[in-house]
Amino acid sequence: MDQTTGFPTSTWDVFNNTSSPFGNAVPSTQPIPHSKSPSRPTLDTEKVALLQEYQNGVGTWVGLFDNARHLTHTIVKRALESPLLLNAICALTARQMSMVGRGEMWETTAVHYYGESLQQLIHILNDPSYGSDDTLAATVLLSSYELFASPGLDHHRHVSGAVTLIRTNSHNANSGGLKGAAFWVYARQDVAMALVHECPTMLLLEEWGVDWTDQEIDEDLLGNKIIWIVAKVIAHTFGKASGVTERSLRRDRMRLIEELETWRGSLPTSFAGLPFGTPSEEEFFKRLFAIPSTAAAMCMYHLAYLLLLTEGRNPSLAGEIPQEEVDTHARSVASIASSPISDASLVQAAQPLYYSAKHISTVAEKFKMWTLLGEIENRLGFHTGHRIKQLHQQFKLV
């Protein structure tokens, strides 16, 4: 909270200090002023440019597994009626542009739209009759903004607002339209932050409300399904085991491996990618993925195996693990990340790349993966520096 103005400085402030029922999670230390009722937004040249940039740029990251394009088309259509959505889109887009060296002007612009979004979010939480259907989508965009702006903060501060909305409004994996698409953006954020902090996701697995069909062939739904499986792997790997027998944990691990193989066995051929060219010196094989999101899904599949082989309690449960098996999954991630994949898939590959670099056996391959992680931040503005620093510390390079 900005103590000089009394206005919030993050979604955490909004959800934990507003006078609406959403603010009950943490007692309010200072009342947040009410903002006036939002009116229909007005457009200008800057907003139009940011909307178009969003649809062609960071919006495609948000809508990674969204073949219906709710998060690039529907959301922009609604933004023309919703000041909250419009300002959230502009804030996120300007922030990403500022992160890739496109001028300090965009950072100032981003802060302006972010502040406007927070004030409009306050009003909607206090009076849900104003555009409440769009609140979750706007909140996950603002969470994405915060992850760009302050990646080192406790991830609970970034995603707690979305968790509150999901729980209060019973949003889940089966919600339709924009709300359903926004739920899966939150889910990917929650999984990413759980991997960074080595803990289960904030949203409990039983709260996801998943309902899969056995013969699913849609790439976006299969992509969401692997996110769900990875969330289960994370809970098994990093969760507390008090009161759980080792035999039970071993059985859970084997069930997760079976679930991974069932998922892979159900995939259309588009998920394999088409190999081309000659391998790199590190034996990374490039592939062409006709459906961009399938590259990201396969990275998450290999990440799940790396976790089950090397992280948390799994090494003691699995017994002796051949390094060759670990290297195979790590090289698969690096091969995909080295391929001509979409920016959205490359961003999703950041965490798989970290775990691949952490566990692959040769120094040359580790350095190549560190380079790929650095390129993600330098070219796209997506923060990977903390992961590179962890790798350096692990191998005594700093």
Side-chain angles (χ1 to χ4, degrees), residues 46-344:
E46 180 178 82
K47 290 175 183 174
V48 169
L50 288 170
L51 286 173
Q52 292 178 323
E53 178 71 22
Y54 170 84
Q55 288 188 305
N56 296 317
V58 71
T60 65
W61 308 3
V62 176
L64 175 62
F65 297 129
D66 177 32
N67 286 354
R69 300 187 179 182
H70 291 299
L71 293 159
T72 51
H73 290 185
T74 304
I75 199 171
V76 171
K77 181 179 178 179
R78 290 195 185 181
L80 302 181
E81 302 286 338
S82 166
L84 172 60
L85 274 180
L86 178 61
N87 282 293
I89 290 171
C90 289
L92 174 60
T93 306
R95 170 57 69 179
Q96 190 269 332
M97 292 168 68
S98 74
M99 299 293 289
V100 292
R102 296 173 69 174
E104 293 183 4
M105 174 195 75
W106 289 117
E107 182 173 357
T108 303
T109 302
V111 170
H112 165 73
Y113 286 118
Y114 179 65
E116 291 290 310
S117 300
L118 294 181
Q119 293 188 52
Q120 286 148 3
L121 184 57
I122 294 167
H123 183 86
I124 288 175
L125 294 180
N126 284 313
D127 187 354
S129 64
Y130 291 100
S132 58
D133 284 350
D134 300 329
T135 308
L136 179 59
T139 301
V140 296
L141 293 184
L142 294 174
S143 297
S144 299
Y145 173 101
E146 292 168 7
L147 290 168
F148 268 120
S150 305
L153 288 180
D154 182 356
H155 76 289
H156 289 74
R157 296 182 66 89
H158 296 314
V159 300
S160 63
V163 172
T164 300
L165 287 173
I166 288 168
R167 287 174 172 161
T168 304
N169 295 288
S170 300
H171 298 317
N172 60 36
N174 284 317
S175 297
L178 183 58
K179 283 187 280 191
F183 171 87
W184 283 107
V185 178
Y186 162 78
R188 295 202 309 274
Q189 291 176 342
D190 201 356
V191 164
M193 292 299 97
L195 287 167
V196 169
H197 296 280
E198 297 188 352
C199 64
T201 55
M202 282 187 65
L203 193 67
L204 301 177
L205 293 173
E206 56 266 28
E207 295 178 292
W208 286 47
V210 297
D211 183 19
W212 309 110
T213 63
D214 293 335
Q215 303 299 323
E216 191 59 68
I217 60 172
D218 290 342
E219 288 88 0
D220 55 343
L221 296 180
L222 286 165
N224 288 334
K225 188 172 185 179
I226 193 63
I227 297 298
W228 158 248
I229 296 173
V230 170
K232 293 170 68 176
V233 171
I234 290 170
H236 165 80
T237 302
F238 300 120
K240 295 180 180 179
S242 57
V244 183
T245 66
E246 182 171 316
R247 180 179 179 182
S248 177
L249 290 171
R250 289 181 188 276
R251 185 171 60 248
D252 290 345
R253 180 178 178 275
M254 290 307 301
R255 286 175 178 170
L256 287 167
I257 290 174
E258 290 171 2
E259 191 168 355
L260 280 168
E261 287 314 297
T262 298
W263 177 84
R264 182 163 188 174
S266 72
L267 297 180
T269 56
S270 57
F271 279 77
L274 185 65
F276 70 93
T278 56
S280 67
E281 294 180 3
E282 300 84 10
E283 295 296 315
F284 299 158
F285 292 82
K286 291 185 178 181
R287 293 178 177 270
L288 176 65
F289 293 86
I291 308 297
S293 63
T294 58
M298 292 310 299
C299 281
M300 297 305 287
Y301 164 82
H302 293 294
L303 168 64
Y305 260 107
L306 286 170
L307 295 175
L308 289 171
L309 291 170
T310 63
E311 290 291 331
R313 62 171 65 100
N314 288 309
S316 64
L317 298 174
E320 186 174 351
I321 300 171
Q323 181 62 40
E324 181 182 352
E325 185 176 359
V326 175
D327 286 350
T328 295
H329 289 290
R331 288 193 186 102
S332 295
V333 170
S335 293
I336 295 169
S338 301
S339 300
I341 62 176
S342 68
D343 291 348

